[in-house]
Amino acid sequence: EADIYQTPRYLVIGTGKKITLECSQTMGHDKMYWYQQDPGMELHLIHYSYGVNSTEKGDLSSESTVSRIRTEHFPLTLESARPSHTSQYLCASSDPPGHYTDTQYFGPGTRLTVL
Amino acid sequence: KNQVEQSPQSLIILEGKNCTLQCNYTVSPFSNLRWYKQDTGRGPVSLTIMTFSENTKSNGRYTATLDADTKQSSLHITASQLSDSASYICVVVDRGSTLGRLYFGRGTQLTVWP
């Protein structure tokens, strides 16, 4: 079992609220990722980070923002939640033993519902 | 367009039976292919990683095959157990960028009945 944690596991909030989804890992991994996954659909990369003070947008456009002040912590923030943000958010980290074979370790996910 | 297609979309089998899941991809240039298992409400867990030169790799009752020429992979599960019920996701990594871009399939939802 990978040492990567996400809180909260489930969140139901109203439209317009600001929320932060927490992700932390204790493996010292440099690379971290946020994915969005709707039921029965593939994972879509929304943010990633190569290390401290490094953040990049992924393939799927997202109104969320991320920060990477510490290696182990990669929180995702939505300034004003909308029903279209309802989804599962998965955090992952990886540290490559070799350049092209690094394994991504996923957290348990946060199921977000915006009413 | 880089894509990963999985079949079947869902599958129901009886406990103890074998099954094979398919993955076809168009990702290029190819780096490696991974199979993940995702239990309901959980994050995916890696089962196997296969590079270009590997044809077969096993992990317990899971055996993955790769044909890089036809761009096809399969995941064979032997003597299925109830705990095998999950979504199995095929992921292909390209080597065209420093990040190693991951392309995800939509998964095959496997249900094992007693």
Side-chain angles (χ1 to χ4, degrees):
Chain A
E1 194 80 14
D3 296 322
I4 181 164
Y5 309 98
Q6 289 185 245
T7 57
R9 291 293 315 280
Y10 303 93
L11 179 62
V12 180
I13 60 168
T15 298
K17 299 292 185 183
K18 177 181 178 179
I19 60 168
T20 296
L21 308 185
E22 301 289 348
C23 175
S24 61
Q25 49 95 4
T26 59
M27 298 173 282
H29 289 168
D30 290 324
K31 293 182 181 177
M32 295 190 74
Y33 315 80
W34 276 103
Y35 292 90
Q36 186 173 340
Q37 184 183 30
D38 293 320
M41 302 296 287
E42 62 268 45
L43 278 73
H44 291 285
L45 181 68
I46 53 175
H47 298 283
Y48 61 94
S49 167
Y50 288 125
V52 171
N53 294 325
S54 155
T55 61
E56 301 287 344
K57 288 190 177 295
D59 306 308
L60 182 66
S61 175
S62 174
E63 294 165 347
S64 59
T65 59
V66 293
S67 63
R68 190 86 183 276
I69 300 174
R70 303 197 315 267
T71 298
E72 62 271 21
H73 197 212
F74 191 38
L76 180 145
T77 299
L78 275 166
E79 290 293 334
S80 179
R82 296 205 303 270
S84 61
H85 296 140
T86 295
S87 187
Q88 169 146 314
Y89 293 85
L90 289 162
C91 179
S93 72
S94 67
D95 200 10
H99 185 52
Y100 297 118
T101 59
D102 57 297
T103 295
Q104 290 202 356
Y105 299 93
F106 286 84
T110 294
R111 169 72 64 185
L112 173 65
T113 302
V114 184
L115 303 176
Chain B
K1 182 180 179 182
N2 289 321
Q3 287 184 311
V4 177
E5 301 288 342
Q6 291 188 243
S7 62
Q9 185 175 9
S10 61
L11 180 64
I12 299 174
I13 62 173
L14 294 177
E15 186 178 15
K17 297 297 186 182
N18 304 335
C19 67
T20 300
L21 314 180
Q22 301 290 343
C23 174
N24 296 339
Y25 63 92
T26 59
V27 178
S28 181
F30 175 85
S31 173
N32 61 81
L33 183 146
R34 304 132 185 246
W35 282 94
Y36 281 85
K37 178 186 179 186
Q38 184 176 24
D39 292 314
T40 300
R42 306 288 297 180
V45 175
S46 179
L47 294 175
T48 64
I49 297 177
M50 301 180 70
T51 58
F52 185 88
S53 59
E54 297 175 298
N55 300 119
T56 303
K57 181 169 282 189
S58 292
N59 178 2
R61 295 180 294 103
Y62 301 104
T63 299
T65 65
L66 174 64
D67 186 334
D69 292 330
T70 61
K71 297 186 177 180
Q72 295 180 326
S73 175
S74 66
L75 180 69
H76 186 74
I77 303 175
T78 304
S80 60
Q81 300 175 358
L82 298 180
S83 59
D84 292 333
S85 294
S87 178
Y88 291 84
I89 302 172
C90 176
V91 183
V92 181
V93 184
D94 77 8
R95 56 181 172 85
S97 63
T98 303
L99 177 64
R101 172 77 166 83
L102 274 67
Y103 294 88
F104 290 81
R106 294 186 176 184
T108 291
Q109 184 64 49
L110 175 66
T111 303
V112 181
W113 283 1

